[in-house]
Amino acid sequence: MANERTLLAWSRTALALLAASFAVVRLTDITPSALRLALGSYLIALAAGVIAGSYLQWRAREARIHAPDPPPRGLTALSLTMALFVLTGFVVAVIALAS
């Protein structure tokens, strides 16, 4: 059951990223609209990556649960961390250009 809870946690993260993309594109007043669309698109791409990565991680762990070998470590958390660092830089650039 822990595997399913992990999948749901990743799904909530993806949903939050999609909500943030909507908020950036529709609810903010960042002056260059291209910058607003770029940030929203990045958030959507990040959400899609989280969705795909979470499913692949779930499927691999399901297979490992039924296998006798010890589970290897995945790169999903590292990938998400790096993508969030890029997002942080993006947000800093948006704030700097908007003020």
Side-chain angles (χ1 to χ4, degrees):
M1 286 196 162
N3 197 25
E4 285 79 13
R5 284 194 306 270
T6 302
L7 177 65
L8 290 173
W10 283 106
S11 298
R12 283 191 308 268
T13 301
L15 184 60
L17 288 168
L18 287 173
S21 70
F22 177 78
V24 165
V25 172
R26 302 297 283 167
L27 303 177
T28 60
D29 195 21
I30 300 170
T31 329
S33 63
L35 188 59
R36 184 175 61 222
L37 290 175
L39 181 57
S41 299
Y42 179 76
L43 286 168
I44 290 170
L46 185 57
V50 167
I51 292 167
S54 66
Y55 173 74
L56 293 174
Q57 185 182 53
W58 174 82
R59 194 174 76 189
R61 285 188 178 159
E62 276 295 307
R64 282 184 268 151
I65 286 172
H66 302 292
D69 298 335
R73 297 186 187 259
L75 293 176
T76 306
L78 177 63
S79 302
L80 181 61
T81 302
M82 295 306 294
L84 289 175
F85 272 124
V86 172
L87 177 63
T88 302
F90 221 140
V91 169
V92 168
V94 165
I95 291 170
L97 289 174
S99 37

